[in-house]
Amino acid sequence: METRPDRGARRLPIAGALACLLLAGCAGAKDTEPMQHKTPQQAAAEFLPQVEQVLAGLSIQRESLEVRANRCEGQRGETRDDLFYVWVGLRGLAPGNDIARQIEAAHARWQAQGWEITRFRHLDSGGVNLTAIDPASGNTYTLDSGFKPAPEAYLAAFFNTPCFQSPEGRVHFGELPAP
């Protein structure tokens, strides 16, 4: 088992985890390459198929899926109204009560794909936490389980893009409509 520090009722613990990661910041904020220019809608439209590809490897029933444009820091730590990242949060349930096994399988797939594993840990509750960065895109993918009342079944998943700069200027942060 590899463990590294993080980079970043049944609904209450999952909602708390979602809120915590929602405020965690931009996955690509420390990049030294020039920031790409995209609108939040463009970035979300390009990112969601990649998220769906990751989710296709899991056998889950979705409870919710939310897509947001969130504020992030630029390369020099600045915050501006035109800097954002796309955040996708998902809550789901593994009907086979095997979400920990599914996350372990995702860990093996992501390692085989050359993704940087930044967190992989087993919890006392039986849950598994996994975070990885796809080096090709800079996107961050997080799968967490172990939530009461069904630690073997519940999944909270979070997906982030690197930071972008909107060519249209000011971004309206918050929930994005489905592309």
Side-chain angles (χ1 to χ4, degrees):
M1 174 172 71
E2 179 179 334
T3 304
R4 294 187 188 170
D6 294 331
R7 278 196 183 201
R10 76 176 195 212
R11 294 185 193 269
L12 186 57
I14 295 172
L18 283 171
C20 177
L21 285 172
L22 179 64
L23 299 173
C26 178
K30 296 179 182 165
D31 290 346
T32 56
E33 297 177 13
M35 196 172 296
Q36 290 186 32
H37 290 79
K38 294 184 183 184
T39 67
Q41 294 76 16
Q42 288 170 326
E46 292 172 10
F47 184 44
L48 283 174
Q50 296 169 44
V51 169
E52 290 296 341
Q53 186 175 12
V54 166
L55 293 174
L58 302 172
S59 176
I60 58 169
Q61 297 172 341
R62 296 180 191 188
E63 288 186 349
S64 68
L65 180 80
E66 183 178 357
V67 181
R68 300 179 58 87
N70 289 338
R71 184 179 306 273
C72 65
E73 291 183 353
Q75 297 160 342
R76 294 173 189 84
E78 76 273 19
T79 57
R80 300 188 332 224
D81 289 341
D82 64 339
L83 301 180
F84 72 96
Y85 69 101
V86 174
W87 176 90
V88 177
L90 172 126
R91 282 195 325 251
L93 180 68
N97 291 324
D98 63 346
I99 196 60
R101 184 197 58 73
Q102 291 189 53
I103 293 173
E104 289 168 345
H107 175 253
R109 281 192 306 274
W110 295 354
Q111 277 189 315
Q113 292 170 341
W115 289 15
E116 177 188 356
I117 306 298
T118 61
R119 179 178 64 154
F120 182 60
R121 63 182 178 200
H122 290 82
L123 308 175
D124 291 340
S125 66
V128 177
N129 294 158
L130 172 63
T131 300
I133 299 171
D134 174 1
S137 65
N139 296 333
T140 301
Y141 299 88
T142 297
L143 304 174
D144 288 342
S145 68
F147 300 102
K148 291 184 181 182
E152 329 56 50
Y154 285 107
L155 171 73
F158 316 97
F159 313 103
N160 298 319
T161 66
C163 290
F164 296 106
Q165 184 175 13
S166 175
E168 297 175 344
R170 184 182 183 97
V171 171
H172 297 283
F173 298 106
E175 194 164 353
L176 293 171

